[in-house]
Amino acid sequence: MTAPWTAEEEPQTHPITRNDDVVRARQLARVLSQRCKLSLVDQTKFITAASELARNTLVYGGGGVLRAGLVRKNGRLGVAAVFEDSGPGIPDIELAMTDGWTSGGGLGLGLSGARRLVDEFALDTEAGRGTTVTVIKWAR
């Protein structure tokens, strides 16, 4: 995805290779959401989406990396997170984005739920190539 926004600052990069990293991703999402001055409801939405995507990166992608930071587009400030892995990719995107579908023992709310919680959502994946998910929540 070519970013339609510019970084407000250098994004922070964190590995996602174990459960503790999912917690750190959630903490980073919280700090950035607060710095962006998102409402409490929007902070909660972004943090929840980031947590789900970090977990997916670890569980289904075999680990990866998170890049997150403040972004700007058309004078608006937002918070963005990019989750990348080199895992097996998603062979059927339409199915994976269906509410309630899960490839594991989860609730099936990861990708479709994250998409509903943010303002911008982009999924780049291919079977055998890995997955990149980019999410943005804009301050109101």
Side-chain angles (χ1 to χ4, degrees):
M1 169 183 173
T2 301
W5 36 268
T6 58
E8 185 72 4
E9 60 191 22
E10 192 66 28
Q12 297 184 43
T13 301
H14 295 275
I16 300 175
T17 58
R18 52 189 201 174
N19 286 329
D20 289 351
D21 296 329
V22 175
V23 173
R24 279 190 267 289
R26 191 169 40 247
Q27 291 168 338
L28 177 59
R30 174 176 285 112
V31 167
L32 291 171
S33 295
Q34 291 170 342
R35 286 188 46 218
C36 186
K37 302 199 184 315
L38 294 181
S39 70
L40 186 56
V41 169
D42 283 347
Q43 286 180 40
T44 302
K45 288 178 178 181
F46 187 78
I47 294 163
T48 301
S51 180
E52 287 293 316
L53 294 170
R55 182 182 169 282
N56 282 0
T57 299
L58 179 62
V59 173
Y60 301 111
V65 66
L66 162 64
R67 288 182 293 117
L70 300 183
V71 294
R72 189 168 294 279
K73 177 181 173 183
N74 299 329
R76 295 175 71 192
L77 187 63
V79 60
V82 179
F83 298 86
E84 297 176 272
D85 68 60
S86 298
I90 302 171
D92 188 338
I93 295 170
E94 188 174 331
L95 180 61
M97 294 299 294
T98 301
D99 286 345
W101 183 84
T102 179
S103 63
L107 298 175
L109 298 176
L111 289 176
S112 62
R115 179 177 58 184
R116 282 193 308 275
L117 293 170
V118 297
D119 298 318
E120 293 188 31
F121 178 96
L123 173 64
D124 180 21
T125 187
E126 184 179 308
R129 185 178 52 85
T131 301
T132 300
V133 180
T134 303
V135 291
I136 303 175
K137 191 74 176 169
W138 297 106
R140 310 255 178 257

